[in-house]
Amino acid sequence: FLSGSPISILPFLLVSLAWMIGGWLLARAAFRLEPRERLTVGVGLGLAAFLFLSNVLGRWLRADAAFTMAGALILAAGLLALRRRPGRIREDLVGWPVLAGVLTATIVFTLIARGLAILDDRKNLSLISMMAAGDIPPHFYMNPVALFRYHYGFQLLGASAMRLGGMFPWSAFDLTKGFAAALSLGSAYLLGWRLVHRSAGGWVMAACLLFGGGARWLL
């Protein structure tokens, strides 16, 4: 942490909780999902909406304001959706084991990433630092006259962890990259379960995605 204190991550965690809850409420109102699917799918929807809104709002607002407002807007939209289509929220808690698995895998993947700095860190850390400083959409880090015309969604998530959570860029990227990888596996697990109607299908789908995504996990 830039400040030396882990407490500085609290604003980032609060904003993340806002878009997670908002995404969950939006997902249960917008899609036909099984109760066990709603929590994890909702977190994925909230993440996608957070990155989209942050990218748009960052053109006019400071980075910290853009990230905070994006989280608040998603939460507000979720609460509005709940009011329009109320339902028994408690039944969605049946999906907590998958979400707990995602959080556990996030810790594991983050620890792995700390020892494997092989993912274009020159590009990633530069983008995270620039966007955390307010350069959204980012310019090309090797030619600041031109915009960076390549995908930067997960780096934008890392920038939010750096700006709101007071993290160093490499720590922010390791954490958010680990979360994104874990969330993709949780979603793959639910997809496999839905296709074959058995949890074994979920494990196979998650394993195929894990090892199909790069041999670094074999280490």
Side-chain angles (χ1 to χ4, degrees):
F1 295 96
L2 291 164
S3 65
S5 173
I7 299 178
S8 61
I9 200 175
L10 287 179
F12 170 71
L13 294 180
L14 290 175
V15 171
S16 298
L17 186 62
W19 57 255
M20 286 181 182
I21 294 176
W24 163 47
L25 296 177
L26 286 172
R28 73 188 312 273
F31 304 120
R32 293 181 178 178
L33 298 169
E34 297 292 334
R36 65 170 178 266
E37 300 171 340
R38 291 172 185 164
L39 282 175
T40 302
V41 173
V43 170
L45 177 62
L47 174 60
F50 174 73
L51 294 178
F52 176 81
L53 289 176
S54 296
N55 188 52
V56 173
L57 295 173
R59 297 170 183 264
W60 300 286
L61 302 176
R62 296 186 315 174
D64 52 353
F67 294 135
T68 303
M69 183 170 292
L73 287 175
I74 297 168
L75 178 60
L79 293 175
L80 181 61
L82 177 63
R83 184 175 180 181
R84 287 177 174 269
R85 294 187 61 181
R88 293 182 296 178
I89 295 179
R90 187 176 300 177
E91 66 181 9
D92 295 356
L93 297 180
V94 71
W96 75 264
V98 179
L99 192 57
V102 169
L103 297 178
T104 302
T106 297
I107 298 174
V108 175
F109 291 160
T110 300
L111 294 175
I112 291 175
R114 292 180 63 188
L116 292 175
I118 59 176
L119 294 177
D120 298 328
D121 279 6
R122 178 184 64 178
K123 175 194 74 175
N124 295 323
L125 300 185
S126 299
L127 288 174
I128 289 172
S129 299
M130 291 165 58
M131 289 189 286
D135 186 20
I136 304 174
H139 289 77
F140 186 28
Y141 55 91
M142 297 183 70
N143 182 15
V145 176
L147 287 173
F148 183 74
R149 301 191 182 278
Y150 196 57
H151 63 80
Y152 54 88
F154 292 127
Q155 290 84 358
L156 185 59
L157 181 61
S160 70
M162 180 179 177
R163 185 59 182 261
L164 296 179
M167 304 184 74
F168 284 106
W170 45 86
S171 299
F173 188 54
D174 286 344
L175 176 63
T176 54
K177 180 176 60 180
F179 174 73
L183 182 60
S184 68
L185 291 185
S187 301
Y189 174 81
L190 290 173
L191 176 61
W193 194 343
R194 169 171 282 208
L195 289 175
V196 302
H197 305 289
R198 293 182 180 179
S199 61
W203 287 109
V204 171
M205 181 72 76
C208 289
L209 179 64
L210 175 63
F211 293 109
R216 63 186 178 275
W217 305 117
L218 295 175
L219 300 175

